[in-house]
Amino acid sequence: MPDSPVDIRPADSDDADAVAAVYAPYVERSVVSFEEVPPDGAEMARRMLAQPRLPWLVATRDGEVVGYAYASQHRARRGYRWSVEVSAYLNASEHRRGTGRRLYDDLLTAVRGLGYVRALAGITLPNAASVGLHEAVGFAQLGVFRGVGFKHGDWHDVGWWQLSLAASPPDPPEPSTWSP
Ligand SMILES: CC(C)(COP(=O)(O)OP(=O)(O)OC[C@H]1O[C@@H](n2cnc3c(N)ncnc32)[C@H](O)[C@@H]1OP(=O)(O)O)[C@@H](O)C(=O)NCCC(=O)NCCS
């Protein structure tokens, strides 16, 4: 039977348990994330609703969440408020099927539409899939933080990638709040 199509839609707090379930194996069994304890649904919902509210999207097949992508504030100090970080996580069975690209196309369109100007991504190295996805949608590598994370008994490098969402406006309007 052919696969059902992937649908991309805004996430809401009802998706938080499913999003937590997608993320948990990466926390437990990889260094893709430097968290050590998988957040539960309540914590994911809190992250989704954090201020400034930024886009969270889920990818679904047959109504089941198979992956997600989201934006978060880059840094809290005022002058950074036009910069976001982005990331995506998919179930292992969903890799390399175009879903990451679909999520990112919609996520980047959403943050650009809100008035954000730069998107950044920190990637624990090596991660060919994540580097490939980011470069496929236009991110360029900035540099590498050497041995900046310790997990599972080892020190890990994190590479940083950036995408300009807009030219550098001389008088940037305040970014808007995401409302799904
Ligand atoms: C990273 C991730 C989100 C990518 O999503 P994906 O759906 O697998 O990627 P796509 O199929 O949309 O691929 C988009 C492009 O990325 C690149 N790419 C994807 N997987 C790749 C791989 N394993 N090796 C090299 N390039 C890859 C390709 O350029 C690809 O375009 P193409 O298929 O036309 O060649 C997914 O692999 C994932 O969830 N990985 C585990 C979690 C993770 O590492 N998240 C990122 C944290 S920084």
Side-chain angles (χ1 to χ4, degrees), residues 77-115:
R77 290 187 180 169
R78 288 285 289 160
Y80 286 116
R81 67 190 181 280
W82 293 273
S83 294
V84 291
E85 294 183 20
V86 293
S87 194
Y89 291 87
L90 307 178
N91 286 342
S93 58
E94 195 64 32
H95 291 181
R96 205 68 199 255
R97 301 177 72 183
T99 304
R101 190 193 289 264
R102 294 241 350 247
L103 279 164
Y104 258 28
D105 284 347
D106 286 8
L107 185 74
L108 295 169
T109 299
V111 287
R112 190 180 279 114
L114 293 171

PDB file of all heavy atoms in Angstrom, residues 77-115:
ATOM      1  N   ARG A  77      19.009  38.738  25.746  1.00  0.00           N
ATOM      2  CA  ARG A  77      19.259  40.189  25.797  1.00  0.00           C
ATOM      3  C   ARG A  77      18.632  40.877  24.596  1.00  0.00           C
ATOM      4  O   ARG A  77      18.576  40.320  23.497  1.00  0.00           O
ATOM      5  CB  ARG A  77      20.759  40.444  25.911  1.00  0.00           C
ATOM      6  CG  ARG A  77      21.208  39.997  27.300  1.00  0.00           C
ATOM      7  CD  ARG A  77      22.616  40.339  27.635  1.00  0.00           C
ATOM      8  NE  ARG A  77      22.888  39.839  28.981  1.00  0.00           N
ATOM      9  CZ  ARG A  77      24.081  39.769  29.539  1.00  0.00           C
ATOM     10  NH1 ARG A  77      25.141  40.176  28.886  1.00  0.00           N
ATOM     11  NH2 ARG A  77      24.213  39.312  30.758  1.00  0.00           N
ATOM     12  N   ARG A  78      18.182  42.136  24.862  1.00  0.00           N
ATOM     13  CA  ARG A  78      17.274  42.835  23.933  1.00  0.00           C
ATOM     14  C   ARG A  78      17.741  42.860  22.489  1.00  0.00           C
ATOM     15  O   ARG A  78      16.960  42.652  21.565  1.00  0.00           O
ATOM     16  CB  ARG A  78      17.082  44.282  24.422  1.00  0.00           C
ATOM     17  CG  ARG A  78      16.243  44.388  25.668  1.00  0.00           C
ATOM     18  CD  ARG A  78      14.784  44.174  25.398  1.00  0.00           C
ATOM     19  NE  ARG A  78      14.175  45.290  24.655  1.00  0.00           N
ATOM     20  CZ  ARG A  78      13.041  45.185  23.970  1.00  0.00           C
ATOM     21  NH1 ARG A  78      12.402  44.025  23.933  1.00  0.00           N
ATOM     22  NH2 ARG A  78      12.549  46.234  23.341  1.00  0.00           N
ATOM     23  N   GLY A  79      19.026  43.111  22.296  1.00  0.00           N
ATOM     24  CA  GLY A  79      19.516  43.287  20.933  1.00  0.00           C
ATOM     25  C   GLY A  79      19.478  42.021  20.088  1.00  0.00           C
ATOM     26  O   GLY A  79      19.650  42.086  18.864  1.00  0.00           O
ATOM     27  N   TYR A  80      19.247  40.885  20.754  1.00  0.00           N
ATOM     28  CA  TYR A  80      19.171  39.614  20.014  1.00  0.00           C
ATOM     29  C   TYR A  80      17.749  39.255  19.580  1.00  0.00           C
ATOM     30  O   TYR A  80      17.522  38.157  19.091  1.00  0.00           O
ATOM     31  CB  TYR A  80      19.684  38.470  20.895  1.00  0.00           C
ATOM     32  CG  TYR A  80      21.175  38.426  21.100  1.00  0.00           C
ATOM     33  CD1 TYR A  80      21.723  38.613  22.370  1.00  0.00           C
ATOM     34  CD2 TYR A  80      22.049  38.145  20.039  1.00  0.00           C
ATOM     35  CE1 TYR A  80      23.093  38.538  22.579  1.00  0.00           C
ATOM     36  CE2 TYR A  80      23.416  38.070  20.248  1.00  0.00           C
ATOM     37  CZ  TYR A  80      23.934  38.269  21.514  1.00  0.00           C
ATOM     38  OH  TYR A  80      25.288  38.179  21.716  1.00  0.00           O
ATOM     39  N   ARG A  81      16.801  40.178  19.784  1.00  0.00           N
ATOM     40  CA  ARG A  81      15.416  39.737  19.681  1.00  0.00           C
ATOM     41  C   ARG A  81      14.933  39.467  18.265  1.00  0.00           C
ATOM     42  O   ARG A  81      13.810  39.017  18.079  1.00  0.00           O
ATOM     43  CB  ARG A  81      14.470  40.689  20.416  1.00  0.00           C
ATOM     44  CG  ARG A  81      14.317  42.088  19.839  1.00  0.00           C
ATOM     45  CD  ARG A  81      13.540  42.897  20.879  1.00  0.00           C
ATOM     46  NE  ARG A  81      13.262  44.267  20.493  1.00  0.00           N
ATOM     47  CZ  ARG A  81      14.135  45.272  20.573  1.00  0.00           C
ATOM     48  NH1 ARG A  81      15.372  45.060  20.972  1.00  0.00           N
ATOM     49  NH2 ARG A  81      13.766  46.490  20.232  1.00  0.00           N
ATOM     50  N   TRP A  82      15.751  39.721  17.249  1.00  0.00           N
ATOM     51  CA  TRP A  82      15.373  39.367  15.873  1.00  0.00           C
ATOM     52  C   TRP A  82      16.009  38.046  15.423  1.00  0.00           C
ATOM     53  O   TRP A  82      15.933  37.694  14.255  1.00  0.00           O
ATOM     54  CB  TRP A  82      15.745  40.504  14.908  1.00  0.00           C
ATOM     55  CG  TRP A  82      14.936  41.737  15.145  1.00  0.00           C
ATOM     56  CD1 TRP A  82      13.708  42.007  14.585  1.00  0.00           C
ATOM     57  CD2 TRP A  82      15.259  42.844  15.965  1.00  0.00           C
ATOM     58  NE1 TRP A  82      13.248  43.220  15.041  1.00  0.00           N
ATOM     59  CE2 TRP A  82      14.181  43.768  15.893  1.00  0.00           C
ATOM     60  CE3 TRP A  82      16.340  43.167  16.796  1.00  0.00           C
ATOM     61  CZ2 TRP A  82      14.167  44.976  16.583  1.00  0.00           C
ATOM     62  CZ3 TRP A  82      16.329  44.376  17.491  1.00  0.00           C
ATOM     63  CH2 TRP A  82      15.258  45.263  17.379  1.00  0.00           C
ATOM     64  N   SER A  83      16.679  37.360  16.356  1.00  0.00           N
ATOM     65  CA  SER A  83      17.384  36.119  16.002  1.00  0.00           C
ATOM     66  C   SER A  83      16.747  34.923  16.693  1.00  0.00           C
ATOM     67  O   SER A  83      16.496  34.959  17.898  1.00  0.00           O
ATOM     68  CB  SER A  83      18.853  36.211  16.422  1.00  0.00           C
ATOM     69  OG  SER A  83      19.512  37.216  15.669  1.00  0.00           O
ATOM     70  N   VAL A  84      16.507  33.879  15.918  1.00  0.00           N
ATOM     71  CA  VAL A  84      15.934  32.648  16.480  1.00  0.00           C
ATOM     72  C   VAL A  84      16.860  31.471  16.206  1.00  0.00           C
ATOM     73  O   VAL A  84      17.685  31.514  15.290  1.00  0.00           O
ATOM     74  CB  VAL A  84      14.548  32.325  15.862  1.00  0.00           C
ATOM     75  CG1 VAL A  84      13.502  33.332  16.309  1.00  0.00           C
ATOM     76  CG2 VAL A  84      14.610  32.216  14.343  1.00  0.00           C
ATOM     77  N   GLU A  85      16.707  30.446  17.043  1.00  0.00           N
ATOM     78  CA  GLU A  85      17.326  29.153  16.755  1.00  0.00           C
ATOM     79  C   GLU A  85      16.239  28.202  16.281  1.00  0.00           C
ATOM     80  O   GLU A  85      15.087  28.320  16.715  1.00  0.00           O
ATOM     81  CB  GLU A  85      18.027  28.604  18.007  1.00  0.00           C
ATOM     82  CG  GLU A  85      19.202  29.480  18.397  1.00  0.00           C
ATOM     83  CD  GLU A  85      19.991  28.962  19.583  1.00  0.00           C
ATOM     84  OE1 GLU A  85      19.895  27.756  19.901  1.00  0.00           O
ATOM     85  OE2 GLU A  85      20.708  29.784  20.181  1.00  0.00           O
ATOM     86  N   VAL A  86      16.614  27.292  15.397  1.00  0.00           N
ATOM     87  CA  VAL A  86      15.627  26.345  14.873  1.00  0.00           C
ATOM     88  C   VAL A  86      16.176  24.925  14.995  1.00  0.00           C
ATOM     89  O   VAL A  86      17.397  24.712  15.012  1.00  0.00           O
ATOM     90  CB  VAL A  86      15.263  26.647  13.393  1.00  0.00           C
ATOM     91  CG1 VAL A  86      14.533  27.970  13.282  1.00  0.00           C
ATOM     92  CG2 VAL A  86      16.495  26.643  12.494  1.00  0.00           C
ATOM     93  N   SER A  87      15.248  23.975  15.070  1.00  0.00           N
ATOM     94  CA  SER A  87      15.647  22.583  15.152  1.00  0.00           C
ATOM     95  C   SER A  87      14.486  21.698  14.727  1.00  0.00           C
ATOM     96  O   SER A  87      13.342  22.150  14.692  1.00  0.00           O
ATOM     97  CB  SER A  87      16.076  22.255  16.580  1.00  0.00           C
ATOM     98  OG  SER A  87      16.768  21.022  16.609  1.00  0.00           O
ATOM     99  N   ALA A  88      14.815  20.441  14.402  1.00  0.00           N
ATOM    100  CA  ALA A  88      13.779  19.496  13.968  1.00  0.00           C
ATOM    101  C   ALA A  88      14.148  18.095  14.433  1.00  0.00           C
ATOM    102  O   ALA A  88      15.341  17.742  14.481  1.00  0.00           O
ATOM    103  CB  ALA A  88      13.653  19.516  12.448  1.00  0.00           C
ATOM    104  N   TYR A  89      13.156  17.326  14.755  1.00  0.00           N
ATOM    105  CA  TYR A  89      13.348  15.931  15.184  1.00  0.00           C
ATOM    106  C   TYR A  89      12.267  15.078  14.544  1.00  0.00           C
ATOM    107  O   TYR A  89      11.082  15.435  14.606  1.00  0.00           O
ATOM    108  CB  TYR A  89      13.247  15.816  16.712  1.00  0.00           C
ATOM    109  CG  TYR A  89      14.402  16.464  17.426  1.00  0.00           C
ATOM    110  CD1 TYR A  89      14.380  17.816  17.746  1.00  0.00           C
ATOM    111  CD2 TYR A  89      15.529  15.727  17.753  1.00  0.00           C
ATOM    112  CE1 TYR A  89      15.451  18.420  18.385  1.00  0.00           C
ATOM    113  CE2 TYR A  89      16.611  16.317  18.394  1.00  0.00           C
ATOM    114  CZ  TYR A  89      16.561  17.661  18.709  1.00  0.00           C
ATOM    115  OH  TYR A  89      17.632  18.256  19.333  1.00  0.00           O
ATOM    116  N   LEU A  90      12.676  13.967  13.982  1.00  0.00           N
ATOM    117  CA  LEU A  90      11.725  13.036  13.349  1.00  0.00           C
ATOM    118  C   LEU A  90      11.928  11.645  13.918  1.00  0.00           C
ATOM    119  O   LEU A  90      13.062  11.262  14.263  1.00  0.00           O
ATOM    120  CB  LEU A  90      11.985  12.952  11.838  1.00  0.00           C
ATOM    121  CG  LEU A  90      12.037  14.252  11.035  1.00  0.00           C
ATOM    122  CD1 LEU A  90      12.350  13.922   9.588  1.00  0.00           C
ATOM    123  CD2 LEU A  90      10.742  15.001  11.152  1.00  0.00           C
ATOM    124  N   ASN A  91      10.857  10.856  13.944  1.00  0.00           N
ATOM    125  CA  ASN A  91      11.012   9.434  14.240  1.00  0.00           C
ATOM    126  C   ASN A  91      12.012   8.833  13.253  1.00  0.00           C
ATOM    127  O   ASN A  91      12.068   9.256  12.084  1.00  0.00           O
ATOM    128  CB  ASN A  91       9.681   8.701  14.065  1.00  0.00           C
ATOM    129  CG  ASN A  91       8.705   9.000  15.185  1.00  0.00           C
ATOM    130  OD1 ASN A  91       9.104   9.478  16.242  1.00  0.00           O
ATOM    131  ND2 ASN A  91       7.441   8.715  14.947  1.00  0.00           N
ATOM    132  N   ALA A  92      12.751   7.816  13.699  1.00  0.00           N
ATOM    133  CA  ALA A  92      13.772   7.229  12.835  1.00  0.00           C
ATOM    134  C   ALA A  92      13.182   6.720  11.519  1.00  0.00           C
ATOM    135  O   ALA A  92      13.798   6.844  10.453  1.00  0.00           O
ATOM    136  CB  ALA A  92      14.478   6.101  13.572  1.00  0.00           C
ATOM    137  N   SER A  93      11.968   6.195  11.552  1.00  0.00           N
ATOM    138  CA  SER A  93      11.351   5.654  10.330  1.00  0.00           C
ATOM    139  C   SER A  93      10.992   6.748   9.323  1.00  0.00           C
ATOM    140  O   SER A  93      10.633   6.457   8.181  1.00  0.00           O
ATOM    141  CB  SER A  93      10.087   4.872  10.693  1.00  0.00           C
ATOM    142  OG  SER A  93       9.207   5.738  11.376  1.00  0.00           O
ATOM    143  N   GLU A  94      11.088   7.999   9.756  1.00  0.00           N
ATOM    144  CA  GLU A  94      10.681   9.118   8.895  1.00  0.00           C
ATOM    145  C   GLU A  94      11.878   9.802   8.227  1.00  0.00           C
ATOM    146  O   GLU A  94      11.713  10.690   7.384  1.00  0.00           O
ATOM    147  CB  GLU A  94       9.896  10.120   9.766  1.00  0.00           C
ATOM    148  CG  GLU A  94       9.104  11.159   9.023  1.00  0.00           C
ATOM    149  CD  GLU A  94       7.974  10.596   8.174  1.00  0.00           C
ATOM    150  OE1 GLU A  94       7.397   9.562   8.551  1.00  0.00           O
ATOM    151  OE2 GLU A  94       7.685  11.202   7.133  1.00  0.00           O
ATOM    152  N   HIS A  95      13.082   9.365   8.571  1.00  0.00           N
ATOM    153  CA  HIS A  95      14.265  10.062   8.045  1.00  0.00           C
ATOM    154  C   HIS A  95      14.373   9.917   6.534  1.00  0.00           C
ATOM    155  O   HIS A  95      14.036   8.895   5.957  1.00  0.00           O
ATOM    156  CB  HIS A  95      15.550   9.499   8.683  1.00  0.00           C
ATOM    157  CG  HIS A  95      15.684   9.831  10.141  1.00  0.00           C
ATOM    158  ND1 HIS A  95      16.760   9.450  10.898  1.00  0.00           N
ATOM    159  CD2 HIS A  95      14.864  10.534  10.979  1.00  0.00           C
ATOM    160  CE1 HIS A  95      16.604   9.887  12.141  1.00  0.00           C
ATOM    161  NE2 HIS A  95      15.474  10.537  12.213  1.00  0.00           N
ATOM    162  N   ARG A  96      14.919  10.963   5.917  1.00  0.00           N
ATOM    163  CA  ARG A  96      15.283  10.992   4.504  1.00  0.00           C
ATOM    164  C   ARG A  96      14.081  10.736   3.593  1.00  0.00           C
ATOM    165  O   ARG A  96      14.168  10.023   2.598  1.00  0.00           O
ATOM    166  CB  ARG A  96      16.399   9.963   4.232  1.00  0.00           C
ATOM    167  CG  ARG A  96      17.271  10.292   3.009  1.00  0.00           C
ATOM    168  CD  ARG A  96      18.108  11.509   3.247  1.00  0.00           C
ATOM    169  NE  ARG A  96      18.610  12.142   2.043  1.00  0.00           N
ATOM    170  CZ  ARG A  96      19.877  12.061   1.624  1.00  0.00           C
ATOM    171  NH1 ARG A  96      20.756  11.348   2.266  1.00  0.00           N
ATOM    172  NH2 ARG A  96      20.254  12.739   0.551  1.00  0.00           N
ATOM    173  N   ARG A  97      12.944  11.287   3.994  1.00  0.00           N
ATOM    174  CA  ARG A  97      11.746  11.170   3.162  1.00  0.00           C
ATOM    175  C   ARG A  97      11.201  12.540   2.792  1.00  0.00           C
ATOM    176  O   ARG A  97      10.059  12.664   2.359  1.00  0.00           O
ATOM    177  CB  ARG A  97      10.680  10.370   3.916  1.00  0.00           C
ATOM    178  CG  ARG A  97      11.161   8.985   4.282  1.00  0.00           C
ATOM    179  CD  ARG A  97      10.128   8.237   5.089  1.00  0.00           C
ATOM    180  NE  ARG A  97       8.992   7.834   4.251  1.00  0.00           N
ATOM    181  CZ  ARG A  97       7.917   7.208   4.739  1.00  0.00           C
ATOM    182  NH1 ARG A  97       7.825   6.942   6.015  1.00  0.00           N
ATOM    183  NH2 ARG A  97       6.946   6.855   3.919  1.00  0.00           N
ATOM    184  N   GLY A  98      12.011  13.579   3.033  1.00  0.00           N
ATOM    185  CA  GLY A  98      11.584  14.918   2.650  1.00  0.00           C
ATOM    186  C   GLY A  98      10.791  15.649   3.727  1.00  0.00           C
ATOM    187  O   GLY A  98      10.400  16.810   3.543  1.00  0.00           O
ATOM    188  N   THR A  99      10.564  14.987   4.864  1.00  0.00           N
ATOM    189  CA  THR A  99       9.710  15.595   5.909  1.00  0.00           C
ATOM    190  C   THR A  99      10.428  16.729   6.636  1.00  0.00           C
ATOM    191  O   THR A  99       9.822  17.761   6.944  1.00  0.00           O
ATOM    192  CB  THR A  99       9.252  14.498   6.893  1.00  0.00           C
ATOM    193  OG1 THR A  99       8.598  13.485   6.134  1.00  0.00           O
ATOM    194  CG2 THR A  99       8.308  15.052   7.938  1.00  0.00           C
ATOM    195  N   GLY A 100      11.728  16.552   6.898  1.00  0.00           N
ATOM    196  CA  GLY A 100      12.488  17.622   7.533  1.00  0.00           C
ATOM    197  C   GLY A 100      12.461  18.879   6.665  1.00  0.00           C
ATOM    198  O   GLY A 100      12.239  19.990   7.160  1.00  0.00           O
ATOM    199  N   ARG A 101      12.646  18.687   5.378  1.00  0.00           N
ATOM    200  CA  ARG A 101      12.633  19.841   4.470  1.00  0.00           C
ATOM    201  C   ARG A 101      11.254  20.514   4.473  1.00  0.00           C
ATOM    202  O   ARG A 101      11.153  21.742   4.499  1.00  0.00           O
ATOM    203  CB  ARG A 101      13.007  19.393   3.050  1.00  0.00           C
ATOM    204  CG  ARG A 101      13.256  20.547   2.095  1.00  0.00           C
ATOM    205  CD  ARG A 101      13.302  20.065   0.667  1.00  0.00           C
ATOM    206  NE  ARG A 101      14.470  19.293   0.323  1.00  0.00           N
ATOM    207  CZ  ARG A 101      15.565  19.799  -0.260  1.00  0.00           C
ATOM    208  NH1 ARG A 101      15.647  21.077  -0.502  1.00  0.00           N
ATOM    209  NH2 ARG A 101      16.555  18.996  -0.582  1.00  0.00           N
ATOM    210  N   ARG A 102      10.190  19.739   4.458  1.00  0.00           N
ATOM    211  CA  ARG A 102       8.832  20.323   4.471  1.00  0.00           C
ATOM    212  C   ARG A 102       8.599  21.100   5.763  1.00  0.00           C
ATOM    213  O   ARG A 102       8.033  22.195   5.764  1.00  0.00           O
ATOM    214  CB  ARG A 102       7.785  19.209   4.332  1.00  0.00           C
ATOM    215  CG  ARG A 102       7.842  18.520   2.983  1.00  0.00           C
ATOM    216  CD  ARG A 102       6.587  18.621   2.147  1.00  0.00           C
ATOM    217  NE  ARG A 102       5.406  19.144   2.754  1.00  0.00           N
ATOM    218  CZ  ARG A 102       4.293  18.454   3.005  1.00  0.00           C
ATOM    219  NH1 ARG A 102       4.241  17.167   2.725  1.00  0.00           N
ATOM    220  NH2 ARG A 102       3.233  19.044   3.501  1.00  0.00           N
ATOM    221  N   LEU A 103       9.022  20.513   6.886  1.00  0.00           N
ATOM    222  CA  LEU A 103       8.864  21.226   8.159  1.00  0.00           C
ATOM    223  C   LEU A 103       9.642  22.539   8.138  1.00  0.00           C
ATOM    224  O   LEU A 103       9.139  23.593   8.539  1.00  0.00           O
ATOM    225  CB  LEU A 103       9.369  20.352   9.309  1.00  0.00           C
ATOM    226  CG  LEU A 103       8.416  19.279   9.829  1.00  0.00           C
ATOM    227  CD1 LEU A 103       9.172  18.261  10.676  1.00  0.00           C
ATOM    228  CD2 LEU A 103       7.275  19.900  10.641  1.00  0.00           C
ATOM    229  N   TYR A 104      10.887  22.483   7.666  1.00  0.00           N
ATOM    230  CA  TYR A 104      11.728  23.681   7.674  1.00  0.00           C
ATOM    231  C   TYR A 104      11.217  24.731   6.691  1.00  0.00           C
ATOM    232  O   TYR A 104      11.283  25.927   6.984  1.00  0.00           O
ATOM    233  CB  TYR A 104      13.177  23.295   7.360  1.00  0.00           C
ATOM    234  CG  TYR A 104      14.047  23.260   8.603  1.00  0.00           C
ATOM    235  CD1 TYR A 104      13.508  22.984   9.850  1.00  0.00           C
ATOM    236  CD2 TYR A 104      15.414  23.519   8.534  1.00  0.00           C
ATOM    237  CE1 TYR A 104      14.304  22.965  10.991  1.00  0.00           C
ATOM    238  CE2 TYR A 104      16.211  23.501   9.669  1.00  0.00           C
ATOM    239  CZ  TYR A 104      15.652  23.232  10.892  1.00  0.00           C
ATOM    240  OH  TYR A 104      16.429  23.226  12.022  1.00  0.00           O
ATOM    241  N   ASP A 105      10.735  24.305   5.527  1.00  0.00           N
ATOM    242  CA  ASP A 105      10.187  25.301   4.590  1.00  0.00           C
ATOM    243  C   ASP A 105       9.085  26.106   5.275  1.00  0.00           C
ATOM    244  O   ASP A 105       9.045  27.343   5.199  1.00  0.00           O
ATOM    245  CB  ASP A 105       9.632  24.611   3.336  1.00  0.00           C
ATOM    246  CG  ASP A 105      10.732  24.152   2.386  1.00  0.00           C
ATOM    247  OD1 ASP A 105      11.898  24.578   2.558  1.00  0.00           O
ATOM    248  OD2 ASP A 105      10.431  23.350   1.477  1.00  0.00           O
ATOM    249  N   ASP A 106       8.191  25.405   5.958  1.00  0.00           N
ATOM    250  CA  ASP A 106       7.065  26.108   6.609  1.00  0.00           C
ATOM    251  C   ASP A 106       7.541  26.896   7.832  1.00  0.00           C
ATOM    252  O   ASP A 106       7.077  28.006   8.094  1.00  0.00           O
ATOM    253  CB  ASP A 106       5.987  25.109   7.028  1.00  0.00           C
ATOM    254  CG  ASP A 106       5.195  24.593   5.827  1.00  0.00           C
ATOM    255  OD1 ASP A 106       5.586  24.895   4.682  1.00  0.00           O
ATOM    256  OD2 ASP A 106       4.195  23.877   6.037  1.00  0.00           O
ATOM    257  N   LEU A 107       8.485  26.315   8.596  1.00  0.00           N
ATOM    258  CA  LEU A 107       8.978  27.001   9.799  1.00  0.00           C
ATOM    259  C   LEU A 107       9.694  28.299   9.425  1.00  0.00           C
ATOM    260  O   LEU A 107       9.473  29.354  10.032  1.00  0.00           O
ATOM    261  CB  LEU A 107       9.939  26.076  10.555  1.00  0.00           C
ATOM    262  CG  LEU A 107      10.443  26.619  11.881  1.00  0.00           C
ATOM    263  CD1 LEU A 107       9.342  26.559  12.945  1.00  0.00           C
ATOM    264  CD2 LEU A 107      11.666  25.838  12.357  1.00  0.00           C
ATOM    265  N   LEU A 108      10.547  28.228   8.412  1.00  0.00           N
ATOM    266  CA  LEU A 108      11.317  29.421   8.027  1.00  0.00           C
ATOM    267  C   LEU A 108      10.406  30.481   7.414  1.00  0.00           C
ATOM    268  O   LEU A 108      10.589  31.678   7.643  1.00  0.00           O
ATOM    269  CB  LEU A 108      12.453  29.027   7.085  1.00  0.00           C
ATOM    270  CG  LEU A 108      13.514  28.127   7.764  1.00  0.00           C
ATOM    271  CD1 LEU A 108      14.464  27.533   6.732  1.00  0.00           C
ATOM    272  CD2 LEU A 108      14.292  28.890   8.837  1.00  0.00           C
ATOM    273  N   THR A 109       9.393  30.038   6.670  1.00  0.00           N
ATOM    274  CA  THR A 109       8.408  30.999   6.142  1.00  0.00           C
ATOM    275  C   THR A 109       7.696  31.689   7.312  1.00  0.00           C
ATOM    276  O   THR A 109       7.477  32.908   7.295  1.00  0.00           O
ATOM    277  CB  THR A 109       7.386  30.268   5.244  1.00  0.00           C
ATOM    278  OG1 THR A 109       8.092  29.683   4.159  1.00  0.00           O
ATOM    279  CG2 THR A 109       6.318  31.210   4.724  1.00  0.00           C
ATOM    280  N   ALA A 110       7.369  30.901   8.329  1.00  0.00           N
ATOM    281  CA  ALA A 110       6.636  31.473   9.474  1.00  0.00           C
ATOM    282  C   ALA A 110       7.495  32.483  10.227  1.00  0.00           C
ATOM    283  O   ALA A 110       7.033  33.598  10.522  1.00  0.00           O
ATOM    284  CB  ALA A 110       6.175  30.357  10.407  1.00  0.00           C
ATOM    285  N   VAL A 111       8.757  32.136  10.536  1.00  0.00           N
ATOM    286  CA  VAL A 111       9.563  33.087  11.329  1.00  0.00           C
ATOM    287  C   VAL A 111       9.899  34.334  10.511  1.00  0.00           C
ATOM    288  O   VAL A 111       9.916  35.448  11.040  1.00  0.00           O
ATOM    289  CB  VAL A 111      10.846  32.461  11.946  1.00  0.00           C
ATOM    290  CG1 VAL A 111      10.491  31.547  13.102  1.00  0.00           C
ATOM    291  CG2 VAL A 111      11.711  31.750  10.955  1.00  0.00           C
ATOM    292  N   ARG A 112      10.105  34.146   9.211  1.00  0.00           N
ATOM    293  CA  ARG A 112      10.358  35.320   8.358  1.00  0.00           C
ATOM    294  C   ARG A 112       9.127  36.237   8.385  1.00  0.00           C
ATOM    295  O   ARG A 112       9.251  37.459   8.509  1.00  0.00           O
ATOM    296  CB  ARG A 112      10.666  34.847   6.934  1.00  0.00           C
ATOM    297  CG  ARG A 112      11.177  35.932   6.024  1.00  0.00           C
ATOM    298  CD  ARG A 112      11.458  35.400   4.617  1.00  0.00           C
ATOM    299  NE  ARG A 112      12.741  34.725   4.507  1.00  0.00           N
ATOM    300  CZ  ARG A 112      12.893  33.420   4.252  1.00  0.00           C
ATOM    301  NH1 ARG A 112      11.833  32.635   4.054  1.00  0.00           N
ATOM    302  NH2 ARG A 112      14.088  32.895   4.157  1.00  0.00           N
ATOM    303  N   GLY A 113       7.961  35.644   8.296  1.00  0.00           N
ATOM    304  CA  GLY A 113       6.712  36.417   8.281  1.00  0.00           C
ATOM    305  C   GLY A 113       6.480  37.184   9.581  1.00  0.00           C
ATOM    306  O   GLY A 113       5.808  38.216   9.592  1.00  0.00           O
ATOM    307  N   LEU A 114       7.025  36.673  10.674  1.00  0.00           N
ATOM    308  CA  LEU A 114       6.866  37.355  11.964  1.00  0.00           C
ATOM    309  C   LEU A 114       7.843  38.510  12.125  1.00  0.00           C
ATOM    310  O   LEU A 114       7.743  39.281  13.081  1.00  0.00           O
ATOM    311  CB  LEU A 114       7.089  36.359  13.110  1.00  0.00           C
ATOM    312  CG  LEU A 114       6.042  35.248  13.239  1.00  0.00           C
ATOM    313  CD1 LEU A 114       6.500  34.204  14.259  1.00  0.00           C
ATOM    314  CD2 LEU A 114       4.686  35.808  13.626  1.00  0.00           C
ATOM    315  N   GLY A 115       8.820  38.609  11.220  1.00  0.00           N
ATOM    316  CA  GLY A 115       9.768  39.708  11.303  1.00  0.00           C
ATOM    317  C   GLY A 115      11.121  39.341  11.865  1.00  0.00           C
ATOM    318  O   GLY A 115      11.939  40.229  12.143  1.00  0.00           O
TER     319      GLY A 115
END
